[in-house]
Amino acid sequence: MKIKSLDPRVSRLELDVVDKQPDAVLHVQDHWETYQVFHQRKRGEKHSSVGIVHAPSAEMALVFAKEQYGRRGETVNMWIVNTRDVLAMDYDDYDVFATTPDKMYRDPAGYKVNDKIAEFKKSNLHV
Amino acid sequence: MYGGGYIHDDQKKKTDSIAEDPALLAEFEARIARGEKIEPRDWMPTEYRRQLIRMIEQHAHSEIIGALPEGTWITRAPGFRRKLALMAKVQDEVGHAQLLYSAAETLGKSREDMINDLINGKSKYSNVFNYPSKTWADVAVIGFLIDAAAIVNQVANSKGSYGPYCRALERICYEESFHLKQGHSIFVYLATGTPTQRAMVQDALNRWWQPIMHFFGPSDKMSQHTETLMRWKVKMASNDDMRQQFLNMYVPKIREVGITIPDPNLHKNPETNMWEFTEPDWNEFYEVIKGNGPCNAERLAVRRAAEDNGAWVRDALRKADQQYVTPLA
Ligand SMILES: [Fe+2]
Ligand SMILES: [Fe+2]
């Protein structure tokens, strides 16, 4: 049975009804690899990760990324990185950073000397 | 557009019985309760992963199939501005499908497998796209009201627990608001136009009202199952709540331009502050899900032809040493 559509362009294709258990239409990696896309909105701002595209090469990934992530708003630049080339930390390892906010010796707020100065000014050591 | 509230699930029983490590599960649930997001390579319960894949995948299919009933009107749009707008909208919908497939991929199912399951009927998409778009006024009703319904659902889901899905939905919701505005614009122009134009938009609403009432799915009195999904922030609002919210926001906007909603029983009960309406035909709803709607066969055949016709291009471009890895985010 051929598909009859309200749209004559579809009817002209004379498409068959897809049978209930068709062979797989797509096979493993038919949609190529994935690339991570980094988008810069304005000069002076940083590039940020906005998502991925499927593409057969970095050049094609850039073409697809422009279409997918640049079709609204401002864009001045994009980077493409093959997902394979990204070495990511494991979320489970976050605990190595757990005490970082406590390291006050790395923080300007960790250095308070006004009390010392005031005390010194009141003392007789102050000439 | 268009992850409807209703998400088809015929495998529920299979994974209900899986026993998860209680310590990991407690940690996972505590993270969600604190309002933190789950990220792709975190530990997660099997059922959480399965439900998310199913939901995001069906949402993606709805976007890509949803492009068809509107896409058919691009060549016949009345005027250049309307044509540009409709092309932009249809392109957005296909872009939404890509964003959503990517989010589902982070959970471990390949895009090829998802598209195969769409074409072989294992995986569903929103029922509304199995109805034909007969006139230009259908483009108005779809863009205005179906996108509006989808926004209600998507805004709720964007506050869910899975990071990649939320990020995709944030971008999507922004674009949907343009879809709604352009749909509303066509709707208002027709409804305030000539008698022929008014009749055309009334006819379109008459045909689409039932599918719109179907959109959020049947009433979901809180089942045990729904409770878990809500605790895990997979399902963010009940079908009934979303339908009520939709009626609250859009019934007045339909009526203010003198278009009649084809349900004489539709009214807001002043005591309960809830909308009451004629139950749509849920038998028809399930028949369409099974594949027996007016356009199911056409949608899948067109989708299949698109993949088949693109095969030689994809093959020609494929590098011998390509190697797929699961996307990061
Ligand atoms: Fe949309
Ligand atoms: Fe969409």
Side-chain angles (χ1 to χ4, degrees):
Chain A
M1 202 176 67
K2 302 291 182 194
I3 296 289
K4 286 285 287 170
S5 172
L6 279 175
D7 186 339
R9 292 165 308 166
V10 172
S11 295
R12 277 200 296 273
L13 295 173
E14 303 209 318
L15 300 174
D16 288 308
V17 174
V18 181
D19 45 339
K20 284 286 173 218
Q21 295 297 325
D23 299 334
V25 177
L26 294 175
H27 303 95
V28 179
Q29 294 196 29
D30 264 5
H31 283 193
W32 311 302
E33 298 175 288
T34 65
Y35 290 80
Q36 306 288 140
V37 181
F38 297 83
H39 175 270
Q40 188 186 30
R41 201 174 64 92
K42 274 188 167 147
R43 285 171 182 271
E45 290 184 0
K46 60 185 182 293
H47 288 68
S48 23
S49 162
V50 285
I52 65 154
V53 289
H54 282 246
S57 65
E59 290 76 12
M60 282 303 291
L62 188 54
V63 172
F64 293 153
K66 286 174 185 168
E67 216 39 51
Q68 175 74 328
Y69 298 103
R71 66 176 181 266
R72 275 202 183 74
E74 294 165 275
T75 302
V76 290
N77 196 246
M78 281 186 194
W79 295 338
I80 294 298
V81 179
N82 192 316
T83 307
R84 261 198 281 165
D85 296 331
V86 179
L87 178 62
M89 180 188 134
D90 214 27
Y91 277 100
D92 280 345
D93 292 340
Y94 80 99
D95 54 354
V96 301
F97 298 112
T99 58
T100 306
D102 304 337
K103 291 177 180 169
M104 291 308 288
Y105 61 87
R106 290 183 184 274
D107 197 301
Y111 296 88
K112 294 201 168 82
V113 292
N114 284 347
D115 286 357
K116 278 276 170 213
I117 294 170
E119 204 181 307
F120 176 75
K121 282 180 176 170
K122 268 191 270 170
S123 75
N124 39 22
L125 289 172
H126 185 61
V127 188
Chain B
M1 288 166 219
Y2 307 120
Y6 179 81
I7 301 295
H8 187 70
D9 187 5
D10 50 14
Q11 303 202 39
K12 192 157 64 190
K13 288 189 185 68
K14 279 191 201 159
T15 45
D16 266 356
S17 53
I18 290 176
E20 300 287 359
D21 180 324
L24 289 173
L25 183 62
E27 200 183 312
F28 168 85
E29 292 195 335
R31 184 182 299 285
I32 292 175
R34 286 195 300 271
E36 286 175 32
K37 303 287 179 187
I38 304 300
E39 293 289 348
R41 290 184 294 174
D42 282 334
W43 181 89
M44 58 186 83
T46 311
E47 179 63 1
Y48 177 84
R49 183 185 302 274
R50 190 185 73 82
Q51 291 284 2
L52 272 175
I53 291 176
R54 198 173 57 91
M55 183 168 83
I56 302 171
E57 175 182 359
Q58 290 187 34
H59 189 169
H61 296 331
S62 303
E63 301 280 354
I64 205 167
I65 295 290
L68 299 175
E70 287 181 289
T72 188
W73 278 95
I74 290 174
T75 54
R76 294 167 287 171
F80 192 56
R81 176 76 203 263
R82 292 291 189 212
K83 190 196 287 271
L84 280 177
L86 187 57
M87 281 191 333
K89 179 192 195 276
V90 169
Q91 183 190 26
D92 283 349
E93 305 301 5
V94 177
H96 295 173
Q98 291 197 28
L99 292 172
L100 292 161
Y101 284 131
S102 307
E105 271 178 77
T106 64
L107 293 158
K109 184 166 180 179
S110 75
R111 193 161 90 176
E112 291 86 348
D113 281 346
M114 290 188 263
I115 292 173
N116 282 335
D117 285 350
L118 165 67
I119 292 169
N120 68 29
K122 228 190 262 172
S123 177
K124 304 297 177 185
Y125 53 89
S126 185
N127 252 0
V128 283
F129 304 116
N130 288 317
Y131 291 86
S133 48
K134 291 186 172 165
T135 73
W136 173 249
D138 292 45
V139 175
V141 172
I142 296 173
F144 175 29
L145 294 171
I146 297 194
D147 279 69
I151 291 173
V152 169
N153 181 236
Q154 292 176 153
V155 168
N157 283 356
S158 74
K159 311 211 164 55
S161 60
Y162 190 57
Y165 188 40
C166 299
R167 289 190 286 270
L169 284 174
E170 220 171 279
R171 181 175 284 265
I172 289 171
C173 286
Y174 176 72
E175 298 186 344
E176 295 295 357
S177 50
F178 145 68
H179 301 173
L180 171 79
K181 284 277 190 183
Q182 69 92 38
H184 186 232
S185 164
I186 306 171
F187 191 89
V188 169
Y189 271 69
L190 292 175
T192 60
T194 64
T196 316
Q197 287 174 317
R198 288 178 58 80
M200 203 164 104
V201 76
Q202 182 65 62
D203 166 67
L205 186 70
N206 293 349
R207 286 182 286 106
W208 283 96
W209 188 250
Q210 174 153 294
I212 288 171
M213 291 303 281
H214 283 155
F215 185 83
F216 294 107
S219 180
D220 52 357
K221 305 279 174 275
M222 290 287 271
S223 63
Q224 191 63 45
H225 193 65
T226 312
E227 244 172 69
T228 310
L229 291 182
M230 286 207 164
R231 190 171 68 246
W232 287 348
K233 296 187 185 165
V234 170
K235 192 169 173 52
M236 296 300 290
S238 79
N239 297 355
D240 295 318
D241 287 350
M242 289 189 288
R243 188 162 25 237
Q244 288 289 328
Q245 195 187 332
F246 170 79
L247 293 171
N248 258 334
M249 291 168 78
Y250 295 100
V251 169
K253 287 191 191 298
I254 298 168
R255 288 181 171 161
E256 74 183 359
V257 286
I259 297 298
T260 309
I261 294 167
D263 176 2
N265 297 324
L266 181 78
H267 69 282
K268 198 171 192 174
N269 181 329
E271 271 162 36
T272 58
N273 213 20
M274 301 289 264
W275 288 92
E276 291 172 5
F277 45 81
T278 313
E279 277 299 319
D281 178 355
W282 292 108
N283 265 345
E284 176 174 319
F285 176 78
Y286 289 112
E287 276 305 306
V288 177
I289 288 175
K290 269 194 250 160
N292 302 324
C295 298
N296 297 58
E298 176 181 338
R299 301 290 183 243
L300 293 186
V302 168
R303 190 64 236 140
R304 181 187 189 149
E307 295 297 338
D308 282 346
N309 294 341
W312 70 272
V313 183
R314 293 193 305 267
D315 287 345
L317 290 170
R318 186 179 303 112
K319 289 181 300 187
D321 65 342
Q322 81 170 23
Q323 200 187 318
Y324 177 85
V325 296
T326 304
L328 288 165

